Amino acid sequence: MKPQSTMIVPSTLALLLSFQLIAAAADTHESFLQCLSLHSENSTSISKVIYSHYNSSYSSVLELTLQNLRFSTPATPKPLVIITPIHLSHIQAAIKCSQKYGMQIRVRSGGHDYEGLSFRTSYNSPFVVIDMINLSSISIDVENKTAWVQVGATLGQLYYRIAEKSPNLAFPAGSCPSVGTGGHISGGGWGILLRKYGLAADNIVDAHMIDVQGRFLDRKSMGEDLFWAIRGGGGASFGVIVAWKIKLVDVPSTVTVFTVRRPWDQIATKLVHRWQHVAHKLPEDLFIMVFLRSLSSGTEGNRTMEAIFQSLFLGGVEKLLPLMQERFPELGLVKEDCNETSWIQSITIFNGFESGESLDILLQRTNYSDRRAFKAKSDFVREPMPGIALEGIYERLSKVEAEAAQLFFVPYGGKMSEISKSAIPFPHRAGNIYEIGHLVLWAEDGIDASQRHINWIRELYSYMTPYVSKNPRAAYINYRDLDIGTNNEGYTSYKEASVWGKKYFNHNFDRLVHVKTSVDPDNFFRNEQSIPPLSSWKKKRND
């Protein structure tokens, strides 16, 4: 009997320990919820915007704006609580109570973080998601050509409200309408007006945020260093951004868009090669980007590729055609390829909707039918790639894993070359002729399918090494890529974070670190690619 009792005792202890851990977690959860009510100006209102695992609507709230299905799996860590604030005091309470109970914070605006860091973590710490969806008000000042937009608003909602007030005002941000203004602008934010007006972050004149101490700050009270950092340095490292004051820009009543498709053959190769020499030198009113993607050839499962030239011209077709004939005649653009429209309608066309589609489509936050798993990467090009490099891309896009893959080339030059590399944290200015986005999507479930497609894009990225920027190989923070480096779960040194930080921010990384050290020395606002403070060594010493 004695051997049997020695088996029972450890099992009993393990069971008791398990019950104790569950009870402790439940106590922490309950205490955290009580803390939120205690520190909110209106305890009744905050109770209506808190979602925990015990709420039947928890999963639907979590999934509502989740864009990358790679992180919609049972294995993806889930937040202890989701808070959808309707008052600033809800954010302040979330910060205070998360500090008190050792929670990390993730802030979600539109859910488009490419690695899902706005709603998940790869760390073992419990975390809370502050989903800004309810803070989405937009106030347009036509006379002064400015607007205040809360970060829960999407780009589509912002464009819609601007167009309601004036057909001749716009904002130079991205063309995807469901992207949240919070993360997009805090990472820089390029769009089809970048050659004319620069990035979204180049056109910010004020901001509202809550800092680590729970203080409400505007540009004056936060100071110019912090205001500089949140415009392109990734706002999640420094606090919770609540709203942006944006500068609106002029657009003509008539713009012209075209989409020209060319099958991949020697002619298309020459067209893309020629585009590299032309696109960044065109007048700033003309933006032509290129998509490279594979297509089914319809014969025995073979695949081919096409090059798509998509353009916005700030003017009418009668001005565009002679300009194209002079500067890029090889494309063979004709009037039938062109569509004269309004700027706001051009946004719907760039998203693949039919000309004349109701602008109400811009108000939709999600498109559930189009959500898939994906992995993305980015590059910057300083010298035109040779034709042989383009042929290598063609070979890789012909593989089965590339069925829903594409590369897109975004021309720089114009205003982008005029703005200083240190004006905001986004450093990719003069000298860069275009940016590359690498993207692969898939619908298959399971780890094997994910890994197969991720391996494909990693191999493509490796192949591109000789043809893109070097020392460092630059990347764009809004196309977040954890492959280029991550912080440790605990202490992360400046040297370790520089591995990825210099790629996103180059020499501006150093100033970002100093700002972080000043405003959040204990590194409360942190994630796998957040800016580390120089004072992080204190935490290591005290651990």
Side-chain angles (χ1 to χ4, degrees):
M1 295 298 294
K2 190 172 183 179
Q4 185 177 5
S5 66
T6 60
M7 293 292 292
I8 294 174
V9 171
S11 299
T12 304
L13 289 175
L15 187 61
L16 287 172
L17 180 60
S18 176
F19 282 134
Q20 289 173 346
L21 290 173
I22 294 172
D27 288 343
T28 299
H29 178 267
E30 186 60 34
S31 297
F32 180 75
L33 296 181
Q34 291 175 359
C35 180
L36 290 174
S37 297
L38 180 65
H39 290 93
S40 175
E41 291 180 1
N42 189 323
S43 60
T44 302
S45 68
I46 196 170
S47 67
K48 297 178 180 179
V49 296
I50 297 174
Y51 302 87
S52 70
H53 293 274
Y54 304 110
N55 295 104
S56 59
S57 53
Y58 170 88
S59 295
S60 62
V61 172
L62 179 62
E63 295 280 335
L64 179 62
T65 59
L66 192 156
Q67 305 294 332
N68 190 346
L69 296 187
R70 182 155 61 103
F71 306 115
S72 180
T73 69
T76 303
K78 305 296 190 296
L80 180 73
V81 170
I82 305 169
I83 304 167
T84 58
I86 54 177
H87 300 300
L88 296 183
S89 66
H90 297 163
I91 302 172
Q92 293 165 321
I95 292 172
K96 186 177 186 67
C97 296
S98 294
Q99 290 173 324
K100 182 175 181 179
Y101 289 98
M103 309 287 185
Q104 291 188 15
I105 280 180
R106 296 287 186 267
V107 181
R108 182 164 71 175
S109 173
H112 283 74
D113 187 292
Y114 278 13
E115 294 283 8
L117 297 189
S118 61
F119 56 86
R120 74 170 189 101
T121 178
S122 60
Y123 299 152
N124 293 317
S125 305
F127 69 103
V128 174
V129 168
I130 301 178
D131 191 323
M132 305 293 279
I133 189 170
N134 291 325
L135 295 175
S136 58
S137 70
I138 299 168
S139 177
I140 311 293
D141 183 345
V142 173
E143 182 178 354
N144 292 304
K145 297 183 180 180
T146 61
W148 273 104
V149 52
Q150 290 187 312
V151 300
T154 64
L155 295 179
Q157 292 168 341
L158 174 59
Y159 298 156
Y160 186 96
R161 299 306 172 198
I162 295 172
E164 277 186 326
K165 299 293 185 179
S166 172
N168 298 116
L169 291 176
F171 183 62
S175 57
C176 179
S178 61
V179 168
T181 56
H184 181 71
I185 296 174
S186 71
W190 75 264
I192 57 179
L193 293 174
L194 89 163
R195 302 193 67 251
K196 178 71 171 182
Y197 294 113
L199 305 173
D202 293 322
N203 293 273
I204 300 299
V205 295
D206 203 345
H208 290 163
M209 68 178 294
I210 308 296
D211 73 356
V212 70
Q213 299 178 51
R215 299 176 299 181
F216 172 80
L217 304 175
D218 60 9
R219 178 174 182 172
K220 183 177 180 179
S221 56
M222 76 176 69
E224 288 302 302
D225 280 346
L226 181 53
F227 182 63
W228 173 86
I230 62 175
R231 292 175 296 141
S237 294
F238 305 99
V240 179
I241 298 168
V242 177
W244 303 106
K245 186 177 184 180
I246 64 176
K247 179 174 64 177
L248 303 180
V249 300
D250 296 317
V251 290
S253 298
T254 299
V255 304
T256 304
V257 296
F258 69 74
T259 301
V260 173
R261 302 173 184 272
R262 296 288 184 259
W264 193 257
D265 52 24
Q266 288 188 349
I267 295 176
T269 305
K270 291 178 180 178
L271 282 177
V272 176
H273 189 264
R274 178 63 181 157
W275 173 93
Q276 295 181 99
H277 293 268
V278 171
H280 64 290
K281 298 178 182 178
L282 292 169
E284 61 185 16
D285 287 342
L286 179 55
F287 170 89
I288 307 174
M289 67 183 298
V290 177
F291 295 85
L292 305 180
R293 66 177 189 176
S294 64
L295 297 170
S296 174
S297 66
T299 57
E300 299 181 359
N302 293 327
R303 305 196 65 77
T304 184
M305 193 169 83
E306 68 174 352
I308 305 171
F309 297 81
Q310 193 166 29
S311 174
L312 170 72
F313 175 64
L314 299 177
V317 67
E318 297 305 325
K319 291 184 178 180
L320 173 61
L321 289 175
L323 175 60
M324 287 294 292
Q325 183 59 36
E326 176 189 355
R327 305 294 291 272
F328 194 13
E330 296 87 351
L331 186 60
L333 185 71
V334 296
K335 189 172 183 177
E336 289 72 22
D337 296 323
C338 302
N339 184 356
E340 288 188 333
T341 186
S342 63
W343 177 80
I344 187 66
Q345 200 74 59
S346 75
I347 295 297
T348 65
I349 295 171
F350 259 77
N351 277 275
F353 299 114
E354 294 295 327
S355 178
E357 179 87 32
S358 170
L359 295 179
D360 290 348
I361 197 75
L362 298 176
L363 299 177
Q364 295 183 6
R365 295 192 69 97
T366 56
N367 183 0
Y368 293 110
S369 63
D370 197 41
R371 291 198 303 178
R372 285 178 283 179
F374 68 85
K375 172 69 178 175
K377 291 178 173 291
S378 61
D379 269 311
F380 290 86
V381 178
R382 302 178 68 85
E383 298 288 342
M385 290 189 289
I388 192 172
L390 298 173
E391 291 297 339
I393 293 173
Y394 167 76
E395 292 176 8
R396 284 156 179 81
L397 283 171
S398 299
K399 294 185 178 180
V400 64
E401 293 83 3
E403 180 179 1
Q406 66 178 17
L407 281 77
F408 50 91
F409 297 174
V410 181
Y412 274 38
K415 188 69 171 180
M416 290 296 289
S417 294
E418 298 171 9
I419 300 173
S420 166
K421 295 179 180 180
S422 59
I424 63 172
F426 182 97
H428 317 295
R429 305 290 187 169
N432 293 288
I433 61 175
Y434 63 95
E435 175 187 346
I436 300 178
H438 315 249
L439 179 66
V440 62
L441 304 96
W442 62 95
E444 305 99 308
D445 294 327
I447 296 175
D448 290 343
S450 292
Q451 198 58 54
R452 189 168 64 253
H453 289 87
I454 291 171
N455 288 344
W456 176 86
I457 199 170
R458 286 172 176 167
E459 195 279 328
L460 172 66
Y461 186 76
S462 177
Y463 166 78
M464 297 291 287
T465 302
Y467 311 114
V468 297
S469 59
K470 301 172 179 61
N471 302 316
R473 182 174 183 175
Y476 175 36
I477 183 66
N478 274 359
Y479 295 163
R480 192 186 299 279
D481 179 10
L482 296 184
D483 289 350
I484 68 174
T486 60
N487 295 335
N488 302 317
E489 183 167 356
Y491 166 72
T492 299
S493 70
Y494 164 83
K495 182 178 181 180
E496 290 172 315
S498 294
V499 171
W500 59 264
K502 296 283 187 178
K503 294 173 182 176
Y504 287 140
F505 307 114
N506 209 317
H507 297 302
N508 293 333
F509 181 67
D510 290 353
R511 184 178 176 187
L512 287 169
V513 170
H514 284 285
V515 175
K516 173 73 171 184
T517 304
S518 175
V519 303
D520 185 17
D522 292 323
N523 202 24
F524 172 68
F525 291 108
R526 65 187 184 275
N527 60 46
E528 287 80 348
Q529 283 186 344
S530 59
I531 306 296
L534 289 173
S535 54
S536 288
W537 66 272
K538 294 179 182 178
K539 296 184 72 67
K540 182 181 181 183
R541 184 181 63 180
N542 294 332
D543 286 345

